[in-house]
């Protein structure tokens, strides 16, 4: 069984490749819920939904999130009332949030609801929120004169992650227990893949749950991370600026410093081949390959290379 | 100022007429919230919305509730997940519920949110929920062998009010305070109109709030009710069967027995002219006129007749 630590878009792309080389039934994905938000009374799980919609081949290809063939009639009405309209929710997408919220209200844990939604889309693989407990990433931003702590989505969507960040905090991490199946998956996995998601705000909240971080560290030899940075830049999202803001080197070297206790190997892009030596100097094996997932075939080859680096051979 | 006690569809129809003969700024409508429901995490106020949408000329003319030009894409997704899909919510309509729920979550009372929504539709009149406190009508049904108490919408929508009813209970009425403005409106009104809504489950929950019932009774001489029954039948909805189930005569005579302590006058339809004497024998003045509101002009004439019966003359 292969276990994947996942954020949103980057992880979803990698998974479109992984399911081509590993049977979905042998894949367990542990997903960030630190950027979940309750808005309009609805529980939204953006990373879970991005992965679900992507693997169901329903994601909007332009936006990279939400559903294709979407309409925005409910949000148009919210705007008419002068309501909160910076967090855009499509009409079809709303159905997912209505269902999730109703089930949570009935007392179903998020992991159970997540499995129900994954089943409705015939995903085949196991999708687990890292925890059923509330976990909320909060970001201290300079806004614009004074520092102010806001919720993840207030930074990411409302401010379009265009303001300097001085701190990140994962509220609820100390009290959160791993969701059922998370520790078993980490313990039993032949390999653990850390997806090319933002290390600080996508993978970070998973590791903020102490038992999860301990379990990943215990399997360091069979854990391989894929760098989300290519030539010092994030392909999508603010990982590069965020790392710089918070004093990390925004490069594969900086990524290696964040991951070296967790993973034996870092997969880096060909564009960063000259940095392989510094990655190894940080204590990780460096594997150089193509990491820009322009299509699922590249994602499949990237997955194959990552798995091979920890000794898992897959048929081509 | 004219005050109207209102349920949903029948009251909305009457109001389309009343606003043609009384300046909207001089109308205050006190609306039932006993059939409010929280579903999918959203706070739905069906009677408030029916009145708002009707007066905004946005109501779907076929259904009599919800918005015209509606789509159902969110509910299609809920159905895909196997979620609760018997309470149909259109995509545009959802925008109203999203806005209301977000505002309630922020701590705004329902009366404030109701005013905001009414303003967004330029209604002009004052729309008040009878209370800002939770008020929930519950119905004991025979389902199908044993008695069982269910929420109002589980009876009305899910079971299509097609099962016998043995009891009605308004939970929260004893603890509920009238919303700000309700008692003032009742005290200051030149006339109080009881709309042709279901006496037991639309007007009943308003009167279950003790201070509201007391205030209506105190103004009995200037209060006039319009019978929701015509020739022993409800024009829409289950008022006739419900009255029979609960031991009331399903006729204008039965309506008079329910309202005689609250209102001096009962407006009944020409089809019930022969019952005027029995209505008067119950202690109410009977006014016979056309009450089937096929268009707003009929509704205006009905309003005019009702107001005249308590001494308010309006220009024609």
């Amino acid at each position: 069984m292969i276990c994947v630590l996942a954020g949103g878009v980057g992880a979803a792309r990698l998974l479109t490749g992984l399911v081509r080389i590993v049977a979905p039934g042998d894949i367990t994905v542990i997903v960030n819920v630190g950027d979940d938000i309750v808005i309009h009374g609805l529980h939204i799980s953006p990373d879970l939904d991005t992965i679900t919609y992507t693997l169901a081949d329903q994601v909007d290809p332009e936006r990279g999130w939400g559903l294709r063939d979407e309409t925005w009639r409910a949000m148009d009405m919210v705007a008419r009332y002068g309501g909160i309209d910076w967090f855009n929710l499509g009409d079809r997408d709303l159905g997912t949030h209505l269902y999730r919220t109703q089930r949570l209200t009935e007392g179903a844990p998020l992991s159970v609801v997540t499995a129900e939604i994954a089943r409705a889309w015939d995903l085949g693989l196991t999708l687990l929120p890292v925890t059923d407990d509330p976990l909320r990433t909060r970001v201290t931003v300079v806004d614009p004169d004074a520092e102010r702590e806001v919720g993840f989505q207030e930074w990411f969507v409302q401010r379009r992650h265009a303001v300097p960040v001085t701190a990140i905090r994962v509220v609820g991490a100390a009290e959160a227990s791993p969701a059922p199946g998370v520790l078993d998956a980490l313990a039993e996995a032949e390999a653990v893949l850390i997806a090319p998601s933002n290390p600080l705000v996508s993978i970070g909240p998973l590791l903020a749950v102490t038992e999860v971080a301990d379990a990943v560290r215990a399997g360091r030899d069979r854990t391989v991370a894929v760098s989300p940075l290519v030539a010092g830049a994030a392909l999508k999202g603010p990982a590069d600026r965020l790392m710089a803001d918070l004093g990390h080197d925004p490069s594969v070297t900086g990524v290696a410093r964040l991951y070296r206790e967790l993973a034996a190997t870092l997969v880096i892009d060909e564009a960063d081949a000259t940095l392989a030596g510094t990655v190894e100097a940080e204590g990780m094996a460096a594997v150089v390959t193509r990491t820009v997932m322009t299509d699922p075939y590249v994602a499949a080859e990237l997955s194959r290379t990552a798995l091979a680096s920890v000794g898992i051979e897959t048929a081509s």
Side-chain angles (χ1 to χ4, degrees), chain A:
Chain A
M1 189 264 290
I2 308 297
C3 186
V4 181
L5 304 187
V9 177
R13 293 245 166 97
L14 186 72
L15 288 165
T16 61
L18 188 63
V19 295
R20 286 163 191 261
I21 61 165
V22 174
D26 291 330
I27 301 172
T28 297
V29 189
I30 302 173
V31 184
N32 174 38
V33 291
D35 52 6
D36 283 19
I37 182 172
V38 175
I39 191 165
H40 313 301
L42 300 177
H43 184 113
I44 324 276
S45 296
D47 283 351
L48 284 166
D49 289 347
T50 293
I51 290 173
T52 299
Y53 294 165
T54 300
L55 290 174
D57 197 22
Q58 291 286 322
V59 79
D60 183 272
E62 305 290 314
R63 280 178 275 117
W65 55 268
L67 288 159
R68 63 168 82 227
D69 183 30
E70 190 55 286
T71 50
W72 309 90
R73 307 190 82 208
M75 287 307 295
D76 286 348
M77 286 287 279
V78 171
R80 160 185 278 270
Y81 295 127
I84 299 174
D85 60 355
W86 54 262
F87 198 82
N88 225 348
L89 297 167
D91 298 326
R92 297 182 66 212
D93 187 34
L94 272 170
T96 303
H97 313 314
L98 295 175
Y99 177 77
R100 176 185 294 119
T101 305
Q102 176 64 31
R103 293 288 290 127
L104 291 173
T105 304
E106 290 166 2
L110 183 59
S111 54
V112 169
V113 184
T114 299
E116 291 168 353
I117 292 173
R119 203 177 306 127
W121 290 109
D122 284 324
L123 295 196
L125 48 66
T126 300
L127 214 56
L128 294 175
V130 62
T131 179
D132 283 331
D133 300 322
L135 198 69
R136 291 296 178 271
T137 304
R138 293 186 64 80
V139 178
T140 303
V141 298
V142 182
D143 182 33
D145 303 314
E147 285 193 341
R148 186 176 166 207
E149 191 182 66
V150 298
F152 179 87
Q153 300 297 350
E154 280 82 3
W155 165 64
F156 194 79
V157 177
Q158 192 178 17
R159 290 170 179 77
R160 294 169 191 175
H161 48 72
V163 286
V165 170
T166 58
I168 293 165
R169 194 163 67 101
V170 184
V171 176
E175 299 79 29
S177 300
V182 165
L183 294 182
D184 285 347
L186 287 169
E188 293 162 16
E190 297 161 74
V192 177
L193 271 172
I194 302 180
S197 301
N198 188 314
L200 301 174
V201 290
S202 295
I203 303 301
L206 304 183
L207 303 169
V209 181
T210 313
E211 290 173 85
V212 173
D214 289 347
V216 175
R217 256 191 300 268
R220 181 182 185 278
D221 289 349
R222 50 193 163 82
T223 300
V224 49
V226 178
S227 173
L229 296 187
V230 172
L235 293 171
K236 191 175 160 72
D240 46 2
R241 270 183 297 114
L242 191 65
M243 286 180 68
D245 280 357
L246 295 172
H248 302 281
D249 180 1
S251 71
V252 293
T253 314
V255 173
R257 282 185 201 125
L258 289 168
Y259 284 155
R260 62 188 166 190
E261 290 176 23
L262 303 156
T265 305
L266 184 64
V267 178
I268 65 176
D269 193 75
E270 291 161 349
D272 291 311
T274 56
L275 291 172
T278 52
V279 167
E280 305 223 321
E282 296 295 339
M284 295 182 87
V287 172
V288 179
T289 190
R290 188 172 164 196
T291 69
V292 183
M293 295 178 279
T294 44
D295 64 47
Y297 304 100
V298 178
E301 283 314 305
L302 173 57
S303 302
R304 189 190 313 283
T305 303
L307 291 179
S309 76
V310 288
I312 312 278
E313 298 302 329
T314 48
S316 54

